[in-house]
């Protein structure tokens, strides 16, 4: 067994084990991928302040996200098609998160359904909602999430229309994969993945197939999805969905202070500063660079979380020190899942936890609540002088 010391180790194994179309689906951003790249490279511009002779005994990374206790403020982000990265992927990831003590967020576009994940887990998870034109379907989806005792609704706002990722079009991405000469040739080299997939019934979009009239196969579903995301979503509709849900609401995809103020107005419990991991508006700024202006606008009135670009515990530390009160990992846990299933997600969380803990200690901090900009060296022009 390979010695896994960093997230990149998991990524290398992931690339070997999972069919190319699903690796490419994860490892791409929209159009030129500028935002995708800068999400990670902008973290590198922030440097850490080494401090010494501070008693570092009794350290803890524990904290809270929307009032829930967490082992560290790092949730698993909603990732569509997770069950194509590894058989029963959503169940495996949810179990790893539950055991580790961090929140798991199930995507609307998951392979395993809300009910299937609820059946195999013991703690409430969060459900991510894509708003669809079919309001009745959205209502039923919300009822299903309630029935499954999901403890937060994460409403994604930055995907009313799909950003173009070139590789997905070239690969003919579908779930399950369509059997063309190219996919068959690639699948032949991924036999462990294939055998595991044969062992599960969860191979289509579990929240959708069987829950919408006229949808029985994946080909129909692809067309239906493209047609169904709601381009007319606005703050009024968000307020209605919040009321329908009646529980904690997190608004995901906020990248601008003005939108953060609107999120506050509709009464969200938290926002996620996010550009969807660079998969939507290419050319948008990285999340970490937009964080300061959003914190200035609403930081003292609402929980501000961040995702996009986090690949290490040091990135988590930087986001928290900049002022975020929670973070999410998308690709970092998918690498682990594709590489080694549930154990791989656990390993990804362990790696990030250790990096966070050791970095905190070397910065002279013992608990999450002590983290502030004191820990960082931020270049003067970090967020830039844009107009
Ligand atoms: C393969 C993939 C699929 C995703 N699917 C969804 C989704 O279904 N719903 C959603 O709100 N965000 C989705 N996202 C965005 C993630 O929730 C998150 O914002 C992003 O992954 C964070 O960036 P990171 O991957 O650099 O950590 C997806 C991201 C990836 C990489």
């Amino acid at each position: 067994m390979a010695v896994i010391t960093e997230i990149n180790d998991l990524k290398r194994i992931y690339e070997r084990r999972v069919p190319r179309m699903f690796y490419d689906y994860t490892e791409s951003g929209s159009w030129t991928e500028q935002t995708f790249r800068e999400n990670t490279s902008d973290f590198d511009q922030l440097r850490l302040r080494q401090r010494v002779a501070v008693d570092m005994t009794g350290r803890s990374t524990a904290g809270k996200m929307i009032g829930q206790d967490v082992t560290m403020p790092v949730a698993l982000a909603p990732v569509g098609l997770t069950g194509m990265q590894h058989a029963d992927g959503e169940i495996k990831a949810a179990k790893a998160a539950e055991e580790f003590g961090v929140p798991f967020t199930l995507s609307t576009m998951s392979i395993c359904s809300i009910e299937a994940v609820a059946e195999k887990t013991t703690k409430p998870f969060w459900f991510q909602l894509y708003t669809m034109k079919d309001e009745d379907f959205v209502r039923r989806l919300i009822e299903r999430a309630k029935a499954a005792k999901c403890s937060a609704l994460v409403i994604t706002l930055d995907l009313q229309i799909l950003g173009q990722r070139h590789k997905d079009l070239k690969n003919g991405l579908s779930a399950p994969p369509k059997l063309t000469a190219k996919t068959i040739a690639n699948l032949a080299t991924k036999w462990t993945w294939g055998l595991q997939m044969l062992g599960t019934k969860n191979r289509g979009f579990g929240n959708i197939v069987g829950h919408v009239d006229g949808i029985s196969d994946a080909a129909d579903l692809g067309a239906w999805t493209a047609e169904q995301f709601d381009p007319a979503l606005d703050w009024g509709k968000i307020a209605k969905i919040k009321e329908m849900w009646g529980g904690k609401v997190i608004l995901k995809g906020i990248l601008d202070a003005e939108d953060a103020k609107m999120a506050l107005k509709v009464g969200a419990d938290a926002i996620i500063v996010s550009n969807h991991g660079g998969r939507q508006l290419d050319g948008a700024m990285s999340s970490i660079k937009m964080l300061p202006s959003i914190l200035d606008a609403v930081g003292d009135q609402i929980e501000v979380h961040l995702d996009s670009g986090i690949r290490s515990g040091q990135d988590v530390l930087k986001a928290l020190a900049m002022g975020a009160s929670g973070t999410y990992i998308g690709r970092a846990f998918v690498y682990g899942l594709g590489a080694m299933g549930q154990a791989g997600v656990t390993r990804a969380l362990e790696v990030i936890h250790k990096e966070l803990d050791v970095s905190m200690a070397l910065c002279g901090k013992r608990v999450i609540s002590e983290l502030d900009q004191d820990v960082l060296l931020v270049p003067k022009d970090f967020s830039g002088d844009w107009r």
Side-chain angles (χ1 to χ4, degrees):
M1 168 85 71
V3 180
I4 310 290
T5 58
E6 54 166 336
I7 294 296
N8 257 330
D9 291 336
L10 293 167
K11 183 174 166 187
R12 277 187 286 272
I13 303 172
Y14 166 56
E15 184 172 9
R16 282 204 304 273
R17 296 217 169 148
V18 175
R20 193 73 208 178
M21 77 163 59
F22 299 121
Y23 174 84
D24 282 350
Y25 170 62
T26 301
E27 211 43 32
S28 44
S30 52
W31 286 324
T32 71
E33 303 191 331
Q34 178 186 25
T35 301
F36 171 49
R37 285 190 301 276
E38 289 181 0
N39 275 338
T40 46
S41 62
D42 284 351
F43 271 106
D44 297 339
Q45 291 182 32
L46 296 173
R47 307 299 290 265
L48 300 173
R49 250 179 101 194
Q50 172 177 310
R51 301 300 304 276
V52 296
V54 178
D55 176 2
M56 54 172 80
T57 55
R59 293 189 313 281
S60 167
T61 60
K64 280 190 192 289
M65 286 173 79
I66 57 160
Q68 296 181 18
D69 290 324
V70 290
T71 302
M72 60 180 173
V74 180
L76 302 197
V79 169
L81 276 76
T82 296
M84 282 290 124
Q85 306 292 356
H86 191 282
D88 297 331
E90 289 88 1
I91 294 171
K92 302 261 155 73
K95 287 177 103 161
E98 171 173 303
E99 279 169 23
F100 206 86
V102 296
F104 169 76
T105 318
L106 184 72
S107 165
T108 294
M109 302 311 291
S110 58
I111 299 297
C112 301
S113 66
I114 304 173
E115 293 77 10
V117 176
E119 194 192 320
K120 299 285 182 192
T121 50
T122 58
K123 289 187 200 146
F125 53 94
W126 297 352
F127 180 67
Q128 175 264 326
L129 182 74
Y130 276 132
T131 50
M132 312 270 180
K133 283 184 214 157
D134 183 343
E135 288 182 10
D136 209 46
F137 172 65
V138 171
R139 194 167 304 119
R140 275 181 279 135
L141 210 47
I142 290 176
E143 288 310 320
R144 289 168 61 197
K146 274 191 206 171
K149 303 209 163 28
C150 293
S151 54
L153 188 70
V154 177
I155 309 174
T156 298
L157 304 181
D158 58 3
L159 204 144
Q160 279 167 267
I161 185 169
L162 194 68
Q164 179 170 313
R165 303 147 203 162
H166 300 312
K167 286 179 217 154
D168 292 350
L169 295 177
K170 289 180 170 127
N171 290 335
L173 176 75
S174 65
K178 286 190 198 86
L179 294 179
T180 62
K182 190 174 154 194
T183 49
I184 291 169
N186 185 244
L187 286 174
T189 66
K190 315 286 178 189
W191 54 272
T192 315
W193 176 93
L195 282 178
Q196 285 164 342
M197 276 297 164
L198 288 175
T200 177
K201 290 199 184 89
N202 298 318
R203 294 199 291 263
F205 289 97
N207 291 328
I208 292 166
V209 176
H211 296 275
V212 183
D213 292 341
I215 298 289
S216 54
D217 69 44
D220 269 2
L221 186 76
W224 179 83
T225 304
E227 278 166 21
Q228 276 300 313
F229 285 135
D230 182 10
L233 177 69
D234 59 16
W235 291 104
K237 287 192 180 188
I238 295 164
K240 273 194 204 141
I241 292 170
K242 182 179 179 297
E243 202 181 305
M244 213 186 292
W245 171 250
K248 299 257 181 182
V249 164
I250 302 173
L251 296 183
K252 176 171 186 281
I254 303 288
L255 203 64
D256 191 279
E258 293 310 312
D259 290 335
K261 287 181 200 162
M262 291 305 294
L264 185 65
K265 240 190 205 164
V266 295
D269 296 278
I271 56 173
I272 310 177
V273 177
S274 170
N275 54 36
H276 217 101
R279 300 165 71 78
Q280 285 295 101
L281 180 63
D282 188 38
M285 294 275 265
S286 66
S287 292
I288 193 68
K289 277 203 170 158
M290 291 311 283
L291 180 65
S293 61
I294 291 174
L295 284 167
D296 282 349
V298 300
D300 53 348
Q301 299 166 77
I302 189 170
E303 263 186 55
V304 177
H305 301 169
L306 176 138
D307 78 15
S308 299
I310 293 179
R311 300 286 182 275
S312 71
Q314 290 213 329
D315 294 339
V316 172
L317 173 68
K318 289 171 182 175
L320 298 176
M322 288 288 273
S325 48
T327 63
Y328 298 71
I329 50 172
R331 294 178 180 87
F333 94 79
V334 173
Y335 301 157
L337 180 73
M340 296 156 59
Q342 183 176 333
V345 179
T346 302
R347 192 70 198 111
L349 288 166
E350 284 168 354
V351 163
I352 286 178
H353 181 260
K354 183 164 186 200
E355 290 165 344
L356 173 61
D357 175 52
V358 172
S359 305
M360 262 170 68
L362 294 175
C363 288
K365 301 289 179 187
R366 278 175 300 197
V367 291
I368 293 289
S369 60
E370 285 176 5
L371 294 177
D372 58 20
Q373 291 224 10
D374 239 26
V375 167
L376 299 174
L377 294 164
V378 183
K380 280 210 176 71
D381 60 347
F382 180 64
S383 285
D385 184 14
W386 308 89
R387 61 189 102 179

